[in-house]
Amino acid sequence: MKTKLSARSSPATSITCNPISIYQNQENMNTKTTLITICVVITISSRLRGAATNTSVVVDLDGNQLQANTKYYILPTRHGGGGLALSIRDRRDPCPPNVMQETDGASVGLSLKIFPADGKAEIDLQSDLNLAFMAATICVQRTVWRLGESDWSTGRRYVRSDGVVGRPGAETVRNWFKIEGSGQGYKIVYCPSVCSACRVECGVVGVYVENGRRWLALGGQPLFIAFKKGNHSSWN
C-alpha cells in the first residue's frame, strides 16, 4: 500500500513562481535560467522540510512514499547544479563512469531505480539500498552505484558505477547506500549494514568541484536532495 503524507505542514502552497514576472527587464538568458532554478529550489525545499525530518519513510515531491523498482530523478534542494548522471572523470581510468551532478541547474539528469536489501516495495529511511541509473554507457557496464576505493591522485572515495543489485554481503558491501532525512531535504550516506563482519568507512555523500565539474564522493560540499517521480525532462 502506498503511503501519502499530508502536505498541510508544508509552506509550498504559499510559494508562487511566475516566469513572466521573473523575466521582466532581464536581457541575459543565463540570468533568467538562474532565477528560475532558484525559484524551483525554494519550492522543493519547502515541500520536503517537514517530511524529511518527521517521518521514517522517504517521500517524493508529490508526498508519496518512494516505491522500489520505480523511476525517480534525484534533484538538489539548494541552488548549485542540477540532477545526477554518469560521466568519465579521469580519461586514464574511464570505466566504470563516475556519478556526477549536472552543472546546468535546469537539467534533471538521469532517472534511477531504488532496490532495498530487505525486498520491501516501499523505501524507508536508513534502509540499505541499491541505486541504479536507467541508462547505457560506452563502458557497457552496469549502472548500479558503487563506492570506489581511494583515488590515487586525490585520496577521495568517489561514487562510481558497475555495482550489482541484491546479493547483500561482504562481496557487495560497497554497493549499498542509505537515505537520511535533514532539515533541508534528504541526503545520501554510505554506511552499509548488510555485512556485520565488514569494516567500512561511513560518511555522507557530497560533491567535490574539480575543473568546473561536480563529482559525488564521501565528504565534500553537502548535497541535499529531493526525489521526483516519472519520465520528466525538465523541472516542471
Side-chain angles (χ1 to χ4, degrees):
M1 178 180 296
K2 294 184 179 180
T3 301
K4 184 163 184 176
L5 303 185
S6 171
R8 285 179 292 182
S9 61
S10 168
T13 54
S14 65
I15 296 176
T16 301
C17 298
N18 187 339
I20 297 176
S21 63
I22 290 175
Y23 288 170
Q24 190 173 7
N25 297 323
Q26 297 290 341
E27 296 179 356
N28 187 291
M29 182 61 69
N30 291 331
T31 302
K32 295 176 184 178
T33 301
T34 300
L35 289 170
I36 282 290
T37 302
I38 291 172
C39 189
V40 173
V41 167
I42 291 173
T43 304
I44 291 174
S45 298
S46 300
R47 289 179 181 177
L48 289 182
R49 189 172 293 116
T53 57
N54 297 329
T55 73
S56 61
V57 302
V58 185
V59 299
D60 62 21
L61 288 174
D62 295 319
N64 297 310
Q65 185 172 1
L66 263 60
Q67 304 294 304
N69 197 23
T70 301
K71 285 185 179 181
Y72 293 95
Y73 292 90
I74 293 181
L75 307 176
T77 63
R78 301 200 323 189
H79 181 56
L84 305 184
L86 289 169
S87 188
I88 295 173
R89 177 185 162 272
D90 187 343
R91 297 292 176 184
R92 296 166 293 184
D93 183 24
C95 296
N98 285 55
V99 180
M100 50 85 73
Q101 183 185 18
E102 298 279 12
T103 55
D104 181 1
S107 173
V108 297
L110 298 174
S111 64
L112 54 72
K113 290 185 177 181
I114 305 172
F115 302 92
D118 57 19
K120 291 183 179 179
E122 297 180 329
I123 308 301
D124 297 323
L125 293 174
Q126 298 293 342
S127 296
D128 287 293
L129 307 168
N130 292 136
L131 304 171
F133 281 121
M134 297 295 101
T137 73
I138 60 173
C139 296
V140 195
Q141 291 176 307
R142 293 160 297 201
T143 53
V144 179
W145 291 24
R146 179 177 175 85
L147 185 67
E149 300 286 0
S150 295
D151 184 78
W152 68 272
S153 60
T154 66
R156 297 167 181 165
R157 297 194 69 184
Y158 297 98
V159 181
R160 304 190 72 173
S161 52
D162 201 31
V164 297
V165 171
R167 306 207 298 267
E171 293 184 357
T172 65
V173 69
R174 289 194 285 131
N175 301 343
W176 299 97
F177 297 83
K178 296 180 179 180
I179 300 171
E180 290 186 355
S182 76
Q184 301 180 65
Y186 295 106
K187 56 186 177 182
I188 297 174
V189 301
Y190 175 77
C191 197
S193 52
V194 296
C195 176
S196 59
C198 298
R199 298 184 63 180
V200 298
E201 176 191 359
C202 293
V204 178
V205 175
V207 173
Y208 286 96
V209 180
E210 300 173 358
N211 299 317
R213 306 197 72 187
R214 306 172 67 86
W215 304 102
L216 269 62
L218 292 190
Q221 300 176 7
L223 178 63
F224 299 105
I225 61 171
F227 295 88
K228 186 177 180 67
K229 183 181 179 181
N231 299 311
H232 299 276
S233 59
S234 68
W235 290 94
N236 299 319

